[in-house]
Amino acid sequence: MTLPVALTVEAGLRAEQDLLAEVCAGDRDWGLLFWQPSDRALVMPRRLNRLPGFEAACDALAASGWPVLLRETGGEPVPQSSSTVNIALVYAPPRSEGDQNRIETGYLRLCQPICEALDELGGVASLGEIEGAFCDGRYNVNLNGRKLVGTAQRWRQSRGGTRPVGLVHGAMLIDDERESMVTAVNQFYQACGLEQRVRAASHVALHEVYPAPLFLERLAGSYQQLLAGLLDA
């Protein structure tokens, strides 16, 4: 399997939603997608289009090479480029798990294989917020104290409403484009009159620390085993 698939940011976001729809419809038992943008965009939740200055911010960012796209998941603006690899897991949890910890469990299913792979490389992997990181969250995957992967998820009901199906997403910085990414995010905040700012030093790219040529293949194997195992649970 060649990893990751090259897609425009718009096509990648659509491919994730298509995968979610297929699992909801029962056309697939589960889905796994690794994709890498062939262009650049600043992707943000749909709710941010209500901010004062949003249209002017979009125009300015497009002129600087970072067109704005809206996504269905929450969070904050996230820059996407060829320096990013996206991981999407789509699955229905075993009925035996119940619904109480579905969100936390979804994040752990995405994050733990990444942490294990980083630890095997000799890094120090952790989960948690990093001050100054864009789209910061409790389930960042961090490498040596800096954010490497941002995470989000979206849930829908399967056809007939019989069970929930989740799209759990991670965006991993593979190559160092931190400065221009942070500039784009801060440009958006400034144009919309927001005080929030992010810092390049709060992030790290995998290949800044480890070449790790087979890292994605190792992850894909872990996720395939995990998702297949859910069917037997």
Side-chain angles (χ1 to χ4, degrees):
M1 176 168 49
T2 301
L3 293 173
V5 179
L7 297 168
T8 66
V9 178
E10 186 172 14
L13 296 174
R14 186 169 60 248
E16 291 186 352
Q17 294 300 316
D18 289 346
L19 200 56
L20 177 59
E22 290 173 10
V23 177
C24 284
D27 297 333
R28 290 174 177 264
D29 292 325
W30 50 266
L32 175 64
L33 176 65
F34 285 70
W35 64 276
Q36 185 172 23
S38 57
D39 59 356
R40 298 201 305 182
L42 188 62
V43 183
M44 60 190 68
R46 193 169 298 280
R47 62 177 172 79
L48 295 186
N49 67 3
R50 299 190 295 269
L51 287 171
F54 178 80
E55 294 299 334
C58 289
D59 291 343
L61 283 160
S64 66
W66 289 95
V68 170
L69 291 177
L70 300 178
R71 66 173 186 263
E72 299 303 321
T73 50
E76 296 293 333
V78 174
Q80 289 273 0
S81 77
S82 59
S83 298
T84 309
V85 168
N86 296 277
I87 305 167
L89 311 182
V90 181
Y91 68 94
R95 298 183 195 278
S96 60
E97 288 186 355
D99 200 52
Q100 185 173 2
N101 298 313
R102 170 162 44 94
I103 301 299
E104 179 180 7
T105 300
Y107 280 126
L108 293 177
R109 283 187 169 125
L110 174 70
C111 296
Q112 285 178 337
I114 302 174
C115 290
E116 291 169 4
L118 292 172
D119 288 340
E120 287 179 8
L121 290 174
V124 178
S126 63
L127 301 179
E129 298 176 352
I130 297 292
E131 184 178 358
F134 48 73
C135 202
D136 196 19
R138 291 191 301 121
Y139 289 98
N140 295 336
V141 178
N142 308 312
L143 174 59
N144 301 338
R146 294 193 286 168
K147 180 175 178 177
L148 175 70
V149 184
T151 60
Q153 53 183 294
R154 178 176 174 79
W155 289 83
R156 289 172 53 183
Q157 287 296 314
S158 63
R159 182 176 293 174
T162 57
R163 60 195 310 193
V165 178
L167 163 63
V168 189
H169 170 94
M172 180 186 301
L173 189 60
I174 294 292
D175 296 310
D176 182 13
E177 198 179 349
R178 293 180 288 129
E179 292 290 346
S180 61
M181 288 178 163
V182 162
T183 297
V185 175
N186 285 337
Q187 184 180 0
F188 176 81
Y189 287 146
Q190 183 174 6
C192 291
L194 301 175
E195 295 183 0
Q196 185 175 351
R197 296 293 184 270
V198 296
R199 300 193 302 266
S202 298
H203 298 264
V204 67
L206 177 68
H207 293 162
E208 289 183 86
V209 184
Y210 303 110
L214 299 179
F215 189 80
L216 298 181
E217 285 77 1
R218 188 245 192 255
L219 280 183
S222 296
Y223 290 131
Q224 287 167 345
Q225 184 175 4
L226 182 156
L227 292 168
L230 294 180
L231 299 178
D232 302 323

